[in-house]
Amino acid sequence: DNTSDRGCLITNCTTELVNQNKEIDAYVADSVEATKDFFRQLILIGIENGDFDQDIEVEKTVLYFIQVLHFAY
């Protein structure tokens, strides 16, 4: 039995619960926004320090990081 193809436990639970409870939905939305803000700040600091190219697409990169964080398994 290969259990690795069931996906991320946290993502799966979150997906199920947000449809059933508005408080959880709001908490998850706030958490995702806070995580996006964190990544955005890191990218902007990286641009300022010269670690990232000036022309990096910040918002697309933030969304990529969110996807990898929440949906990778």
Side-chain angles (χ1 to χ4, degrees):
D1 185 289
N2 185 358
T3 59
S4 67
D5 60 355
R6 295 184 184 163
C8 175
L9 176 63
I10 294 171
T11 299
N12 291 340
C13 290
T14 300
T15 302
E16 291 296 322
L17 290 173
V18 296
N19 294 323
Q20 299 175 19
N21 187 310
K22 292 202 183 285
E23 283 184 40
I24 293 174
D25 185 30
Y27 177 81
V28 170
D30 289 346
S31 176
V32 170
E33 286 305 313
T35 305
K36 286 168 60 177
D37 289 343
F38 173 74
F39 284 135
R40 191 176 295 108
Q41 288 176 324
L42 289 179
I43 293 168
L44 293 174
I45 290 169
I47 291 169
E48 186 177 310
N49 291 339
D51 297 320
F52 293 112
D53 289 336
Q54 294 287 325
D55 60 352
I56 190 171
E57 294 187 53
V58 175
E59 292 308 310
K60 285 184 179 181
T61 305
V62 166
L63 292 176
Y64 171 78
F65 287 153
I66 289 294
Q67 179 185 10
V68 169
L69 177 66
H70 287 281
F71 299 106
Y73 50 91

